[in-house]
């Protein structure tokens, strides 16, 4: 394995009833004014919003509400939140939702601590914030794993750029994860979030080091688990065992443990980010469209790992098959799974019509260091075209 340093600041409280049991006492360790950050109306329909207001009152907090955070949070929304933090002298941000809410809250926590424009600071001056308003997370959807890392992604709508940063000091101080809070997530969102989990694991797995290693062993177990638990959750949304496993698999995919000693790829995420910047498509669904096409381009360059993926994750029998045949079968098993869980398999199904210039989107994509078969913009354009 490659060298690494590992430390973890986020304390996790996991399981049924954990929010009611621990949140009020946790909040008492911070100042009097708390920003409650959340997304749309689903939080209120599910009753979680009322629970949060009650718990915040129990903890003696003054509440500043920051609602309406969208699935692909924008730079403008970050500025709105940062303005509220400054105006009301917010001491703590409580992000209640999925990855979009948690991501947006992280960047708000950074923007609120500087007078500089954070987009210009990071993307022009290449300077990165070191001070953040402390925050915690109550997770209501499984997918990004943002509750236990410093990563955050936002979209600059004016510039048509969707990009992420990793702020080690922005990790949530605590994350409360009650799987029953995810029961009300619609099936399409459940499927797309589940595929995002799988994508996070695959984009770490398909990279050096390629020798047998602990991180890949864990990744294989996690991938098998996501496949099993997503199927079970779609069949019965209130299957607690499946939902609790899926929730922790989401966290494990992005809490850095499987990245230790690995290079990482994330080229497919780079492509989907720009597709999302131009079309505002669902993130997990966009990844589902792109991943099989991308892997058909690179599997021969990482033949041993793709063969291992086929055999150990999908149970492909290698008997009588060449390594290339086995590896290709693994990619097609992934494509079949995407169809099985009801996600789109083409850009048309995703809602990206012929009026969208895929060449412009391809040219705007970052070319990641990659693992196997490093991309160029022309090949990214070809992948987009194959996904039409």
């Amino acid at each position: 394995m490659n060298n690494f340093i590992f430390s973890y600041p986020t304390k996790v409280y996991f399981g049924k009833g954990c929010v009611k049991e621990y949140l009020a006492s946790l909040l008492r360790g911070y100042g009097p004014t708390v920003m409650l950050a959340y997304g749309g109306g689903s939080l209120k329909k599910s009753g979680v919003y009322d629970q949060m207001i009650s718990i915040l009152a129990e903890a003696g907090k003054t509440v500043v509400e920051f609602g309406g955070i969208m699935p692909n949070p924008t730079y403008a929304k970050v500025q709105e939140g940062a303005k509220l933090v400054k105006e009301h002298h917010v001491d703590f941000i409580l992000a209640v939702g999925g990855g979009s809410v948690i991501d947006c809250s992280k960047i708000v926590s950074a923007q609120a601590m500087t007078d500089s424009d954070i987009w210009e600071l990071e993307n022009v001056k290449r300077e990165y914030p070191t001070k953040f308003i402390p925050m915690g997370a109550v997770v209501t959807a499984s997918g990004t794993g943002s509750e236990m890392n410093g990563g955050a992604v936002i979209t600059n709508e004016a510039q048509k750029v969707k990009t992420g940063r990793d702020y080690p000091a922005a990790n949530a101080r605590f994350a409360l994860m009650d799987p029953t809070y995810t029961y009300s997530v619609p099936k399409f969102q459940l499927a797309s979030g589940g595929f995002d989990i799988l994508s996070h694991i695959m984009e770490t797995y398909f990279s050096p080091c390629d020798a047998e290693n602990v991180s890949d062993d864990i990744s294989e177990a996690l991938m098998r688990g996501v496949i099993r638990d997503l199927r079970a959750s779609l069949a019965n949304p209130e299957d607690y065992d499946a939902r609790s496993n899926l929730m922790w698999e989401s966290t494990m995919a992005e809490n850095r443990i499987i990245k230790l000693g690995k290079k990482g790829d994330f080229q497919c995420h780079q492509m989907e980010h720009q597709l999302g910047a131009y079309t505002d498509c669902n993130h997990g669904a966009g990844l589902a469209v792109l991943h099989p096409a991308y892997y058909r381009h690179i599997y021969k360059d990482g033949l041993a790992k793709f063969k291992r993926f086929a055999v150990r994750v999908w149970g492909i029998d290698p008997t009588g098959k060449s390594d290339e045949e086995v590896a290709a079968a693994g990619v097609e098993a992934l494509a079949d799974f995407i169809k099985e869980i009801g996600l789109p398999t083409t850009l048309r199904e995703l809602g990206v019509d012929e009026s969208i210039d895929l060449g412009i989107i391809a040219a705007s994509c970052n070319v990641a260091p990659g693992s196997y078969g490093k991309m160029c913009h022309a090949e990214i354009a070809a992948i987009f075209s194959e996904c039409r």
Side-chain angles (χ1 to χ4, degrees):
M1 296 179 71
N2 298 326
N3 294 2
F4 62 82
I5 298 171
F6 183 67
S7 175
Y8 231 91
T10 302
K11 188 169 185 176
V12 173
Y13 298 78
F14 187 97
K16 189 183 299 183
C18 68
V19 178
K20 294 178 182 178
E21 185 173 356
Y22 297 112
L23 180 55
S25 62
L26 288 168
L27 289 171
R28 291 190 185 104
Y30 299 93
T33 304
V34 174
M35 172 183 276
L36 177 62
Y38 58 93
S42 61
L43 198 74
K44 294 184 177 181
K45 290 178 184 176
S46 67
V48 173
Y49 171 85
D50 290 336
Q51 291 177 17
M52 294 302 108
I53 293 296
S54 176
I55 291 170
L56 286 161
E58 179 189 343
K61 302 301 179 182
T62 298
V63 179
V64 177
E65 293 198 33
F66 177 43
I69 298 173
M70 59 286 289
N72 289 311
T74 64
Y75 166 73
K77 194 67 179 175
V78 166
Q79 297 306 314
E80 178 188 331
K83 183 179 179 183
L84 284 172
V85 171
K86 290 179 178 180
E87 286 178 353
H88 295 277
H89 306 288
V90 167
D91 301 296
F92 189 82
I93 300 172
L94 182 64
V96 183
S100 296
V101 172
I102 300 169
D103 280 16
C104 186
S105 296
K106 289 174 187 174
I107 306 177
V108 165
S109 77
Q111 180 64 87
M113 292 295 286
T114 178
D115 292 327
S116 299
D117 179 277
I118 198 164
W119 188 271
E120 181 179 351
L121 189 73
E122 294 180 352
N123 295 286
V124 178
K125 296 181 179 179
R126 301 295 179 184
E127 298 174 9
Y128 303 99
T130 57
K131 296 181 180 179
F132 301 84
I133 301 289
M135 63 170 282
V138 175
V139 184
T140 65
S142 302
T144 68
S146 189
E147 63 276 357
M148 204 177 169
N149 64 47
V153 177
I154 59 165
T155 300
N156 187 315
E157 293 179 296
Q159 296 186 19
K160 299 291 186 185
V161 175
K162 182 178 178 181
T163 188
R165 290 284 181 266
D166 191 346
Y167 310 97
N171 282 60
R173 302 295 177 87
F174 58 79
L176 294 121
M177 303 172 65
D178 184 337
T180 65
Y181 282 23
T182 70
Y183 284 177
S184 62
V185 171
K187 281 196 172 183
F188 180 79
Q189 188 180 344
L190 169 60
S192 63
F195 191 79
D196 192 22
I197 302 168
L198 191 60
S199 174
H200 290 154
I201 303 166
M202 292 189 299
E203 295 218 59
T204 300
Y205 181 74
F206 289 117
S207 74
C209 77
D210 290 317
E212 295 278 351
N213 64 86
V214 173
S215 293
D216 282 348
D217 291 342
I218 297 171
S219 290
E220 288 164 4
L222 287 172
M223 286 187 281
R224 292 192 299 269
V226 172
I227 294 161
R228 176 198 65 216
D229 297 318
L230 185 52
R231 282 171 170 156
S233 296
L234 288 166
N236 176 11
E238 295 192 11
D239 180 336
Y240 183 81
D241 287 338
R243 297 307 286 261
S244 60
N245 281 327
L246 195 64
M247 186 176 238
W248 188 240
E249 285 152 0
S250 173
T251 304
M252 281 289 292
E254 277 296 325
N255 66 4
R256 307 303 187 239
I257 286 175
I258 64 170
K259 298 177 188 287
L260 300 177
K262 297 287 294 180
K263 180 180 178 183
D265 180 0
F266 285 84
Q267 181 63 68
C268 201
H269 263 71
Q270 296 293 327
M271 293 188 288
E272 196 290 325
H273 281 173
Q274 282 310 102
L275 186 65
Y278 278 82
T279 68
D280 198 33
C281 65
N282 176 279
H283 177 57
L287 289 168
V289 170
L290 294 173
H291 259 294
Y294 172 57
Y295 286 157
R296 290 181 191 118
H297 274 248
I298 70 167
Y299 79 91
K300 292 180 184 178
D301 295 299
L303 201 56
K305 184 64 67 68
F306 275 94
K307 178 185 177 184
R308 179 172 162 175
F309 174 70
V311 174
R312 298 188 186 182
V313 175
W314 296 106
I316 303 296
D317 183 357
T319 305
K321 301 183 183 75
S322 68
D323 288 355
E324 188 172 319
E325 288 172 332
V326 175
V331 175
E332 298 315 309
L334 174 66
D336 290 343
F337 179 68
I338 291 166
K339 293 178 184 177
E340 176 193 335
I341 61 177
L343 290 179
T345 58
T346 67
L347 291 175
R348 289 185 187 88
E349 292 176 9
L350 190 63
V352 180
D353 61 31
E354 299 292 340
S355 68
I356 302 296
D357 190 330
L358 297 177
I360 290 175
I361 300 176
S364 74
C365 291
N366 288 330
V367 177
S371 54
Y372 311 121
K374 183 178 177 180
M375 293 288 101
C376 64
H377 287 112
E379 193 164 7
I380 291 171
I383 291 170
F384 281 145
S385 295
E386 289 162 17
C387 292
R388 274 287 194 195

